Amino acid sequence: MKSICGLLLIALICLISIDFASFTHYEPNWDSLDKRPLPEWYDDAKVGIFIHWGLFSVPAFGSEWFWWYWKGTEPRSDYIRFMDENFKPNFSYPEFAPSFTARHFDPDQWGQLFRDSGAKYVVLTSKHHEGFTLWPSSTSWNWNSMDVGPKRDLIGDLAAAVRGYNLTFGLYHSLFEWFNPLYVKDKENNFTTRYFPAKTMPELTDLVLRYKPDVIWSDGEWDGPDSYWGSTKWIAWLYNESPVKDSVVINDRWARGTLCQHGGFLTCTDRYLPGHLMPRKWENAMTLDRNSWGYVSTSTLSDYVSFKELVDLVAKTVSLGGNILINVGPTSEGIIAPIMQERLKQLGNWLSINGEAIYKTKPWVHQNDSFAQNVYYTQPKSDPDVVFAIFMDWPANDILELGSVAGDPFFTKVYQITPDASYKTLDWAMKNEKMVIKTQLFSENLTAWVLKIERAIPLYF
């Protein structure tokens, strides 16, 4: 009898220890899917790398929308002129494919660069709106990187390299394709027919089963309703049954009307920066080249975001509770331009010193200072008694005055993070309802500086 009771007790303990959240079943509707918690790894990561790579990298002119601006419903004269001046008459876009060689693509070199940038996850375009896939898709015959061009599985090669550097791997996927006859037919029928989803949705399933991405960054959703795409049904499969059901995160671009409303994290617009706290997790997807997501050979120095601008965007985004996804556009040969590499390595150096003010943080009571310009606040999730103040401009006479934070003379401590990632205790005092801090310029090579304030007291006005 005792042995039976013992077994029952053990069984009860095991039952109690089970994570019942793992039994959650999500229905194929937004009300159910929107209740799915976002995996914690994503919010902790804060910084990711976006890669726009495809046939548009061959002409390397204008933007990644090259084909549409050349042959779409309203062709642009500069794109037409570019083709007339540089290519034979009647040249077709698919003829770019053999020149998409990726011959200098070194996935390990990319992985190392992304690790050194301080990013925690990487998202690669598996297929952009042109329809060319960077993997041997069975639904994209002779229009993929294995059949033509590089003759290799670019996604598989990069996924292995990225994971080898302990980075999380994700994939961008365009739901639609500009000139796919099936999509064109469905659009002509006002999306009452569903020929194209029978091609594009199985592609998504194939990507998940092959590469097990932990980010699915969908795009191209704006024309068709969910009844056309069948996105809710597919996401329910992703959350309930797929091999990444517990770790995957998705964005908000899944059907007409879902942008900034439904899905996982919100993107709302490209280069999204709301300026206030959002009720849900969001992401700022931005580009190092201000004008294009894909590589443009004619871009000049002024077309690229400066390092100071980049750090400012990182700090501002994270202070508001967002993640930042920093885009690079490689060449058709697989080279990431030196200026892009430099920006990423500069950011990585800064994060190696000041990363504790970025990673695994949450927004503080105040996101920016009420008095000092370009000062952003974050707070570590693990320590509610600590506040980080990231300031972008060195203060006059080395005196920084903060209007949103106060301190107790007996308990509050202020430290400055130094270039060797150590702490230097600073003198401070409250004057005229401001915290006045005597900072120290340890290095003129830094672009942004971080204070660690223990036992900070928020000021309200």
Side-chain angles (χ1 to χ4, degrees), residues 53-287:
W53 202 24
L55 297 195
F56 47 82
S57 307
V58 178
F61 176 85
S63 85
E64 72 288 347
W65 278 53
F66 183 94
W67 196 2
W68 181 254
Y69 290 147
W70 175 36
K71 292 291 185 178
T73 54
E74 296 182 2
R76 288 174 44 168
S77 60
D78 51 341
Y79 286 76
I80 295 173
R81 184 168 58 252
F82 173 82
M83 291 304 299
D84 289 344
E85 292 176 353
N86 293 281
F87 294 90
K88 66 182 182 181
N90 300 317
F91 188 94
S92 66
Y93 191 83
E95 289 182 88
F96 282 131
S99 297
F100 182 62
T101 63
R103 61 177 179 170
H104 297 309
F105 170 48
D106 184 340
D108 186 75
Q109 185 182 62
W110 284 22
Q112 184 175 346
L113 172 64
F114 300 150
R115 179 203 61 188
D116 292 348
S117 75
K120 300 301 182 182
Y121 61 104
V122 175
V123 179
L124 170 68
T125 50
S126 66
K127 180 194 75 172
H128 201 256
H129 310 323
E130 63 191 13
F132 187 87
T133 71
L134 302 192
W135 86 101
S137 170
S138 61
T139 59
S140 191
W141 179 82
N142 208 38
W143 193 233
N144 66 74
S145 64
M146 184 65 79
D147 290 344
V148 62
K151 303 295 180 68
R152 62 191 287 189
D153 180 358
L154 298 176
I155 292 178
D157 291 346
L158 186 61
V162 161
R163 288 170 172 147
Y165 284 99
N166 296 317
L167 303 176
T168 300
F169 184 70
L171 289 170
Y172 164 108
H173 175 268
S174 174
L175 291 173
F176 88 126
E177 298 170 19
W178 286 310
F179 301 109
N180 188 298
L182 298 176
Y183 181 76
V184 171
K185 185 66 175 177
D186 286 343
K187 191 171 184 178
E188 289 173 349
N189 294 335
N190 198 29
F191 301 107
T192 57
T193 55
R194 300 187 68 245
Y195 299 115
F196 185 69
K199 185 265 187 189
T200 198
M201 300 312 286
E203 273 183 348
L204 268 173
T205 303
D206 183 36
L207 286 170
V208 170
L209 296 178
R210 279 186 193 239
Y211 306 109
K212 300 176 177 57
D214 284 317
V215 182
I216 302 291
W217 216 100
S218 182
D219 198 14
E221 83 297 341
W222 46 80
D223 282 338
D226 181 69
S227 59
Y228 172 71
W229 294 116
S231 299
T232 51
K233 181 179 179 181
W234 188 86
I235 295 169
W237 168 81
L238 183 72
Y239 286 173
N240 293 324
E241 303 175 39
S242 79
V244 291
K245 61 186 179 67
D246 296 322
S247 58
V248 72
V249 296
I250 66 170
N251 65 345
D252 55 352
R253 304 185 183 195
W254 290 97
R256 187 174 62 216
T258 63
L259 185 67
C260 214
Q261 299 293 325
H262 299 296
F265 58 88
L266 305 180
T267 62
C268 300
T269 65
D270 293 345
R271 305 172 182 86
Y272 184 59
L273 196 60
H276 56 83
L277 286 180
M278 296 285 287
R280 291 174 57 176
K281 182 66 183 182
W282 60 279
E283 184 178 77
N284 175 8
M286 50 77 63
T287 60

Side-chain angles (χ1 to χ4, degrees), residues 372-384:
Q373 296 294 312
N374 301 320
V375 175
Y376 310 112
Y377 294 107
T378 64
Q379 186 170 51
K381 293 181 178 180
S382 60
D383 192 345

